[in-house]
């Protein structure tokens, strides 16, 4: 009887153990494939760590684990109650060196991979299980990344974020299996890395007369001598950089340094004016490409950079060059003539080609923003696509690698929630859901081209981010969406499920002293944008007396009567933009109709020069010639920091077939944006 009872109990226990797990997985990024049971293995004080790998890997993983909630005693002979990490020549089910296979049973957790990175990512999965649910479910996980490059860029120039801040972010990035941290080290607002050969870069170029970028930018943009009372800013010493690089490497993250050229370089050219076209401090943003001294400078700087950063890739910027001074600079003109360059785009391309040759000669490769395509792409360059996806797709079609970081989905400097609930940002509206929806490989690419999409990156430009707390709020949790876009197969992605996991991650990050955005209390999209509006003018013909701006066409000629209203941001493809003279449209209702209201929303956000109209005139006509003015609204435009929306409408009783809606800009000129002319 006792035997039978024992057997029954054992069978019941076995049945409980092998019951399939029904609880949703709470891991970011979502693993490729899982077969899990409902029981968990739990580590305790006696649990051991057994690693079969090279000495270097054993040391790295042991010292890393000692900093985590899985600080286990090493014992390579442990047969149970252990975390076993094993490097194998080949592991069935995975092809990426970053992949891993994890099996868990009553004896503990076993992770196999073909490289240290794979073991490290298996460990991250274990850590998330342990931190989120106390134990690791029995069963098997086979996991590997979709993309080899999963990056975040931090702009440490516009505001300086110190070494400890960077180390802290590396911890979080590693947890979510991100493997690149791109540091935007140089820009007008501050040069942030010690270069031994050019001390003025940091003695002067790293400091400015106001701590807040926006104030500095709008009030003279002066630099300051290091150590003086007015100096605000900072830089990483070469020792700081070595520490950051080593810390990141232990966490499988490569630091990619960016040295901007030829533009965004006011700080360097104020420190060393002789390599600008006019040789005057404070006057130029672009290096003089005609001057050999420019190449001497850039190559010397890059030599120190290459010495400090083991990264295969060195980012050389390349974006947004004004190129204006090159047109009148005798040296640039001479260079163009001698090299047979037909325009300044080709002059920029000449610089990038030469720099690429130099970087390649040191055994490294360049990455540049997508402008490096202009004037001819350097032969081995990788393109970082930011002005949409076209640059990256073009690079791939030319056989070059591309990293996708389009502004529409990857620019984390935009608002992530209703702007009135958040501190000032550069503009836009990029909620978690939209970041998550990004697919770096569009259907238009063939298989060979798709292989050249190297990965994805979230970019944190810091013009409007003056503090570390604010920076963390902008990073988290949206970078976790980038992490999942970069790692997880499309088939296992699901936003609702991800959002729940992101809520757990937000709590975890808060407990660890980060300042993530409060996702649980997200306000969400502009309510008007959530549901279509029905009205008398839907689908009717609209005639434009003044054209809309092609770059902000939204849905073209039908967009103002399609029933769709815009989100918090002007570039959502629903708001239509007008520059020079404003809006002047006539809607043909097709037949004479009684109307009781005619109105349209406008938005104002002053940084990108989008304003309310100063004047709105609404009129009606039966014959499209004789118009009766229904209302003439004057509006006083006040320049401020807020994003605001306002409806300009007439209400009353009228009849007619043609409706004319005119909105004129005011004293600041700039843009008008409207989304729908609602006629009722
Ligand atoms: C960029 O956003 N200018 C690369």
């Amino acid at each position: 009887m006792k035997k039978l009872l024992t057997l029954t109990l054992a069978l019941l226990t076995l049945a409980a153990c092998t019951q399939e797990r029904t609880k949703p997985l709470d891991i970011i990024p979502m693993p490729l494939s899982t077969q899990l049971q409902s029981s968990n293995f739990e580590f305790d004080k006696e649990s051991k760590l057994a690693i079969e790998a090279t000495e270097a890997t054993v040391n790295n993983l042991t010292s890393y684990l000692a900093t985590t909630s899985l600080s286990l005693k090493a014992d390579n002979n442990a047969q149970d109650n252990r975390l076993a990490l094993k490097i194998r020549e080949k592991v069935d089910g995975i092809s990426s060196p970053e992949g891993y296979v994890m099996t868990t049973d009553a004896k503990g957790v076993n992770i196999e991979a073909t490289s240290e990175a794979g073991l490290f990512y298996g460990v991250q999965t274990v850590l998330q299980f342990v931190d989120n649910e106390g134990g690791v479910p029995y069963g098997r996980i086979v996991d590997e990344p979709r993309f080899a490059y999963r990056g975040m860029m931090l702009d440490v120039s516009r505001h300086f974020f110190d070494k400890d801040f960077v180390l802290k972010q590396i911890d979080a990035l590693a947890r979510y299996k991100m493997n690149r941290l791109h540091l935007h080290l140089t820009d007008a607002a501050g040069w942030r890395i010690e270069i031994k050969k050019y001390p003025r870069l940091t003695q002067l170029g790293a400091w400015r007369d106001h701590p807040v970028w926006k104030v500095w930018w709008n009030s003279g943009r002066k630099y300051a001598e290091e150590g003086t009372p007015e100096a605000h800013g900072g830089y990483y010493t070469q020792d700081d950089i070595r520490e950051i690089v080593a810390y990141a490497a232990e966490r499988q993250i490569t630091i990619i340094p960016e040295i901007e050229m030829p533009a965004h370089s006011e700080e360097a050219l104020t420190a060393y004016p002789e390599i600008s076209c006019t040789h005057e401090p404070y006057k130029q943003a672009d290096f003089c490409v005609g001057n050999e001294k420019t190449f001497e400078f850039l190559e010397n700087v890059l030599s120190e950079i290459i010495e400090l950063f083991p990264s295969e890739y060195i980012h050389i910027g390349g974006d947004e060059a004004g190129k204006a001074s090159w047109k009148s600079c005798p040296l640039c003109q001479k260079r163009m003539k001698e090299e047979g360059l037909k325009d300044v785009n080709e002059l920029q391309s000449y610089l990038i080609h030469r720099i690429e040759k130099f970087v390649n000669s040191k055994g490294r490769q360049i990455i540049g923003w997508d402008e490096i395509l202009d004037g001819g792409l350097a032969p081995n360059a990788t393109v970082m696509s930011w002005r949409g996806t076209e640059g990256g797709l073009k690079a791939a079609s030319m056989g070059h690698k591309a990293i996708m970081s389009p502004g529409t989905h990857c620019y984390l400097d935009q608002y992530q929630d209703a702007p009135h609930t958040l501190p000032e940002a550069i503009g836009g509206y990029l909620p978690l859901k939209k970041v998550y929806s990004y697919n770096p490989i569009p259907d238009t690419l063939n298989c060979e081209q798709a292989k050249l999409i190297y990965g994805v990156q979230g970019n944190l430009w810091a013009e409007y981010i003056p503090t570390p707390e604010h920076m963390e709020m902008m990073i988290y949790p949206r970078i976790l969406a980038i992490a999942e876009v970069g790692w997880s197969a499309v088939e296992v992605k699901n936003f609702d499920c991800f959002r729940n996991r992101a809520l757990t991650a937000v709590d975890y990050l808060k407990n660890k002293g980060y300042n993530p955005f409060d996702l649980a209390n997200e306000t969400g999209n502009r309510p008007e944008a959530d549901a279509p509006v029905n009205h008398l003018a839907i689908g009717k013909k609209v005639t434009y007396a003044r054209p809309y701006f092609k770059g902000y066409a939204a849905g073209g000629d039908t967009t103002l009567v399609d029933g769709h209203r815009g989100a918090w941001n002007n570039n959502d493809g629903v708001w239509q933009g007008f520059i020079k003279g404003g809006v002047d449209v006539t809607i043909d209702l097709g037949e004479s109709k009684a109307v009781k209201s005619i109105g349209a929303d406008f938005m104002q956000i002053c940084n990108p020069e989008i304003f309310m109209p100063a004047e709105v005139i609404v009129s009606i006509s039966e014959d499209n010639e004789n118009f009766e003015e229904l209302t003439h609204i004057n509006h006083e435009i006040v320049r401020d920091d807020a994003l605001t929306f306002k409806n300009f409408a007439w209400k009353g009783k009228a009849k007619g077939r043609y409706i004319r809606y005119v909105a004129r800009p005011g004293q600041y000129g700039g843009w008008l944006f409207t989304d729908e002319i609602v006629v009722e």
Side-chain angles (χ1 to χ4, degrees), residues 262-473:
H264 284 278
S265 298
E266 289 92 335
E267 84 297 20
L269 295 173
T270 299
Y272 293 95
E274 61 270 26
I275 47 176
S276 72
C277 289
T278 63
H279 300 191
E280 300 162 287
Y282 290 106
K283 285 281 191 309
Q284 303 294 334
D286 302 342
F287 288 105
C288 174
V289 188
N291 191 341
E292 273 308 295
K293 278 195 179 147
T294 294
F295 290 92
E296 185 185 316
F297 170 87
L298 290 174
E299 290 178 8
N300 284 334
V301 167
L302 287 170
S303 292
E304 291 193 35
I305 293 292
I306 285 167
E307 198 60 31
L308 286 167
F309 294 89
S311 166
E312 180 189 359
Y313 290 94
I314 306 293
H315 201 305
I316 48 80
D319 59 321
E320 298 183 309
K323 304 168 189 157
S325 60
W326 298 351
K327 291 178 185 155
S328 53
C329 165
L331 287 179
C332 288
Q333 288 302 310
K334 182 162 171 270
R335 174 86 71 197
M336 285 171 69
K337 211 161 157 200
E338 281 171 3
E339 299 291 334
L341 309 172
K342 73 170 190 298
D343 58 24
V344 286
N345 282 344
E346 290 195 357
L347 185 59
Q348 158 145 344
S349 174
Y350 168 85
L351 172 122
I352 303 291
H353 273 73
R354 236 180 110 169
I355 293 297
E356 178 181 75
K357 225 178 200 173
F358 176 76
V359 171
N360 288 170
S361 77
K362 302 268 182 184
R364 309 296 180 88
Q365 303 291 328
I366 64 162
I367 299 175
W369 298 110
D370 56 48
E371 286 93 332
I372 65 168
L373 283 153
D374 302 342
L377 186 55
N380 305 312
T382 294
V383 170
M384 190 167 268
S385 194
W386 73 279
R387 296 175 301 174
T389 56
E390 295 77 11
L393 303 185
K394 185 169 173 198
S397 73
M398 293 162 67
H400 287 249
K401 275 192 194 165
I403 298 157
M404 306 306 277
S405 59
T408 50
H409 292 78
C410 297
Y411 268 45
L412 308 183
D413 52 346
Q414 301 175 69
Y415 289 103
Q416 63 195 305
D417 199 3
H420 61 269
T421 65
L422 294 168
E424 186 184 11
I426 199 159
Y429 174 54
L430 182 59
L432 186 69
K433 187 172 185 171
K434 184 159 182 198
V435 180
Y436 192 78
S437 72
Y438 183 52
N439 182 357
I441 301 186
D443 295 341
T444 52
L445 286 187
N446 66 33
C447 273
E448 284 314 302
Q449 293 164 345
K451 281 189 203 143
L452 292 164
I453 303 297
Y454 192 23
V456 61
Q457 178 166 290
N459 290 336
L460 246 306
W461 299 104
E463 287 94 332
Y464 293 89
I465 309 180
T467 67
E469 295 75 25
H470 188 171
M471 187 56 123
E472 288 182 354
M473 194 266 283

Side-chain angles (χ1 to χ4, degrees), residues 458 474 552 610:
M474 301 301 271
Y552 291 114
I610 300 170

Side-chain angles (χ1 to χ4, degrees), residues 513-589:
Y514 293 82
N515 182 43
F517 166 67
D518 185 7
L519 182 63
N521 290 310
E522 185 180 19
T523 301
N525 201 358
R526 183 174 173 244
E528 290 84 348
D530 272 349
V533 54
N534 198 9
H535 59 90
L536 292 177
I538 293 279
K540 303 299 183 201
K541 182 170 167 37
V542 182
T543 306
Y544 287 77
R546 291 180 179 282
Y548 48 81
F549 183 77
K550 277 213 186 84
Y552 291 114
D557 289 1
T558 56
T559 208
L560 296 181
V561 289
D562 66 358
H564 293 293
R565 287 185 284 179
W568 298 117
N569 54 317
N570 66 300
N571 60 350
D572 68 340
V574 179
W575 289 98
Q576 192 164 58
F578 297 81
I579 192 135
K580 296 202 183 108
V583 182
D584 186 349
V585 295
T586 302
I587 304 167
D588 179 0
L589 295 177

